[in-house]
Amino acid sequence: MSDPLYSIKMRAAQAGTHISGAERMVPASAASRTAAALVDRALNHAKGVPDFIQVKIEASGEPLRLPALSVMTHVTRTAAEGRALAVDLLASAGIAHAEAIMVRFAESHGMRGAMLLDADTLERLEPDPARGVRATYMDDADSLAKNTLSGKNHYAEAIVLATKVQYAPGIIGEICVSDDPDYVTGYVATRSLGYRRITVIKEKGDPAGGRIFLYRGPRSQVPETIHFLEQRRVVVTDVPLLSEPVAACRFRGLEADLALMENAGLSRFCRTLEAPAGPVARLDGREVAVLSSNDYLDLARDPRVTAAAAEAARRWGAGSGGSRLTTGTQPPHVALERHLAAFKGTEAALTYATGYMANVGAITALVRKGDVILSDELNHASIIDGCRLSGADILVYRHNDMVDFERKLAACREFRRRLAVSDAVFSMDGDSLDLPRFLAVCRRYDAFSMIDEAHATGVLGATGRGLTEEAGCDHPDILMGTLSKALGSEGGFICASRVLIDYLRNTSRPFIFSTAAGAPAVAAADAALTVLEAEPERVARLRDNVALFTVELARYGIRVRTASAIVPIPVGDERQATALAELLLERGFLIPAIRYPTVAKGAARLRVALMASHTPETLRAAAAAIAEGLGLAQRREHPCHILADGSQSRDPF
Ligand SMILES: *Cc1c(COP(=O)(O)O)cnc(C)c1O
């Protein structure tokens, strides 16, 4: 930054008693003017002429930018009315003991800082109760931009402070009552309510007042909260000039949430790729290698597949015009379901408009309140949503831990139905389910077994039939898959017994209450399945590419583990992962950073997805760029075969 920010603080006293104080954060170019303005302010304060003025100027670094809380004014006529309103407002924000909290103002008299109270136990948490906690190092971004440094604006300063406080970790609310006996206005602030100004909250002439910050969280986090309040540099944007009517407040909460995501390196946007799905795309007019497409077998743009879609569009129309049970079933739908059942080796199949709907639709149809679901902790979001929507009890077991799974399932005998569900290939880690053991446990406790083959269909097994082919074991009761990944089209399916499919057709709400997929997508998936059956060498090429890429990474000392075409490269920190993805994009490789909430906080990673058509040159160059980004530039002839868990080299599948 060419003009770095400085924090400028002024405090003034008379005979050892504090009479005024103020702070600003301004660019270096405005520092001396600001300091002078603050000295003027101290010299002209209503409380008297100071005999001591201190001005402190410190470099501030990059501040955190926070959007101002929404502001509303409540006009009250009496102190009793104002206090009752404050209590009601806090109660509506989940703070139960507001009445008892208000009484605590009596203790805060003479404190320079605020009281920090545990919102539930009402214990005081400040390390120095005589001083309290001071929220400081903050300013209004607009005064900074406009350089309006002179006049004191109590109103804007209060909103800046209240905003900073509400973003401190663990803080859930604030109550402020002025300690000026003549100033009867106060406020209550929470993230959800915003800044609620209460015109009369105390009797005129009452000197009792101060600030109370309300905290909810572990004691171990209190130092972090205090550090944020006292040290974190913050500028507050969009401080409103006047109280806004209620109606204008509703978008502020959204803006605040977006700003928080941005600050945490978690905001998301859509990139426009100017190309069909494939290993190469154009992005902002530049050619990039795509190492993140789920079109594993290059079927999305295969001429036989696109011709089938075009032909179906001409023959059957673009859209189906109805739900499957009314007018939306056309010959391509029937043909695809037969084909899928034959491919997977089940009695029947049912298709949905998306894979997401197939998961939600199957789970919600099979179980409800009174039933129980056993779900792997790393299952895909569409499984999680289906579980939640079903109303059944949900028991989450440790990732791929069949001992934990069995222990939990064994305790579920009293439920009406039991459903165990797992990804076949875990979409963010690339590992696969231990299917034989999963099925054995399900059988032992008479649980429905369901696996999601979104990333297994077309990838696992010698002919791409999925995890059952790979593991050489029986089918689970419900095989879910997508048409949208290796099959290059869009849609989802369930393959299962006749009776189960009949049941879903009659009860599955996303199947019943949504328009059937259009014939072009359906015919494309059918054609893709035909190509896959005729050309299983695509699956072998994909497998070879995974082997080549993992060995290439190992030459740089990067050890990865995968059972599929998904290769996760652990990074950890969200911002670092994003920065690495940006760097790779500059080098011409599109590999996204996967962050919370898709994966756990602090478990950010690059997620590479390989295709059968990636060339060895592309894979070698990508591995080199990743290594460079991770600061591991040294390539060795002999790959490092020792894995993180100490095991020796293995087949990448
Ligand atoms: C992609 C995916 C889905 C959803 O499939 P769509 O067809 O994209 O809706 C479901 N489960 C898993 C594991 C996935 O990766």
Side-chain angles (χ1 to χ4, degrees), residues 36-356:
L38 291 178
V39 171
D40 280 345
R41 181 159 144 181
L43 291 170
N44 295 298
H45 201 271
K47 279 191 187 167
V49 183
D51 54 23
F52 172 87
I53 301 173
Q54 185 187 55
V55 176
K56 184 161 80 173
I57 304 180
E58 297 163 282
S60 106
E62 253 318 285
L64 183 63
R65 299 176 71 81
L66 297 172
L69 296 176
S70 64
V71 175
M72 242 181 97
T73 296
H74 297 270
V75 178
T76 48
R77 283 153 305 159
T78 63
E81 196 188 329
R83 290 167 70 98
L85 177 67
V87 169
D88 284 350
L89 285 171
L90 289 169
S92 77
I95 297 164
H97 309 293
E99 209 135 3
I101 292 166
M102 297 291 288
V103 175
R104 304 295 288 273
F105 274 118
E107 283 168 46
S108 77
H109 193 68
M111 281 168 60
R112 288 283 314 281
M115 217 188 263
L116 183 63
L117 276 194
D118 185 300
D120 302 307
T121 65
L122 306 191
E123 279 168 89
R124 291 185 61 170
L125 304 172
E126 318 95 84
D128 177 357
R131 173 178 172 273
V133 175
R134 283 177 49 80
T136 175
Y137 290 115
M138 62 212 160
D139 202 352
D140 171 357
D142 292 332
S143 82
L144 218 157
K146 291 186 230 130
N147 258 338
T148 50
L149 304 166
S150 44
K152 178 157 174 158
N153 181 348
H154 280 287
Y155 170 74
E157 285 178 11
I159 292 167
V160 166
L161 185 145
T163 300
K164 180 178 183 188
V165 170
Q166 289 314 308
Y167 281 89
I171 294 293
I172 59 168
E174 180 193 352
I175 316 174
C176 176
V177 177
S178 171
D179 57 6
D180 178 342
D182 294 325
Y183 194 69
V184 295
T185 299
Y187 70 81
V188 160
T190 77
R191 198 86 83 65
S192 58
L193 295 172
Y195 178 97
R196 299 295 187 103
R197 189 163 167 262
I198 300 172
T199 53
V200 180
I201 198 168
K202 74 169 188 180
E203 311 287 355
K204 218 173 166 76
D206 180 358
R211 292 177 192 283
I212 299 180
F213 300 156
L214 298 168
Y215 175 87
R216 183 175 282 156
R219 289 290 182 276
S220 58
Q221 199 194 279
V222 170
E224 192 190 327
T225 304
I226 294 177
H227 184 266
F228 183 98
L229 292 166
E230 298 196 332
Q231 298 295 334
R232 188 75 173 95
R233 274 58 168 171
V234 164
V235 295
V236 176
T237 60
D238 304 317
V239 176
L241 290 176
L242 286 167
S243 283
E244 294 179 19
V246 191
C249 295
R250 64 190 187 282
F251 288 102
R252 288 228 175 220
L254 310 188
E255 287 164 4
D257 286 350
L258 287 171
L260 266 189
M261 289 181 215
E262 178 79 45
N263 280 326
L266 293 174
S267 70
R268 295 162 178 242
F269 65 98
C270 300
R271 285 186 208 285
T272 303
L273 296 190
E274 300 138 29
V280 181
R282 293 186 76 77
L283 194 66
D284 302 327
R286 211 160 54 93
E287 195 165 278
V288 293
V290 179
L291 280 92
S292 43
S293 170
N294 295 323
D295 181 24
Y296 298 119
L297 304 177
D298 301 275
L299 292 173
R301 67 193 192 298
D302 185 284
R304 291 160 289 185
V305 173
T306 54
E311 168 59 20
R314 272 190 291 273
R315 181 135 184 231
W316 306 109
S320 68
S323 96
R324 288 292 303 279
L325 294 181
T326 58
T327 58
T329 299
Q330 295 170 308
H333 298 85
V334 179
L336 175 61
E337 286 173 349
R338 287 222 182 91
H339 200 170
L340 283 166
F343 179 74
K344 289 282 188 179
T346 59
E347 285 175 12
L350 195 70
T351 55
Y352 288 77
T354 69
Y356 182 99

Side-chain angles (χ1 to χ4, degrees), residues 354-356 359 380 382 423 425 427 452 454-455 480 482 484-485 491-492:
T354 69
Y356 182 99
N359 269 332
H380 189 262
S382 54
D423 280 10
V425 166
S427 54
D452 172 340
H455 296 281
M480 175 273 170
T482 65
S484 50
K485 287 166 181 158

Side-chain angles (χ1 to χ4, degrees), residues 3-24:
D3 203 0
L5 280 191
Y6 283 83
S7 153
I8 303 184
K9 290 183 167 183
M10 175 278 288
R11 67 186 184 92
Q14 187 186 52
T17 305
H18 172 84
I19 52 174
S20 73
E23 66 171 302
R24 302 255 77 134

Side-chain angles (χ1 to χ4, degrees), residues 370 410-416 418:
C412 291
R413 290 173 217 259
E414 77 278 17
F415 286 92
R416 189 185 66 129
R418 288 158 293 282

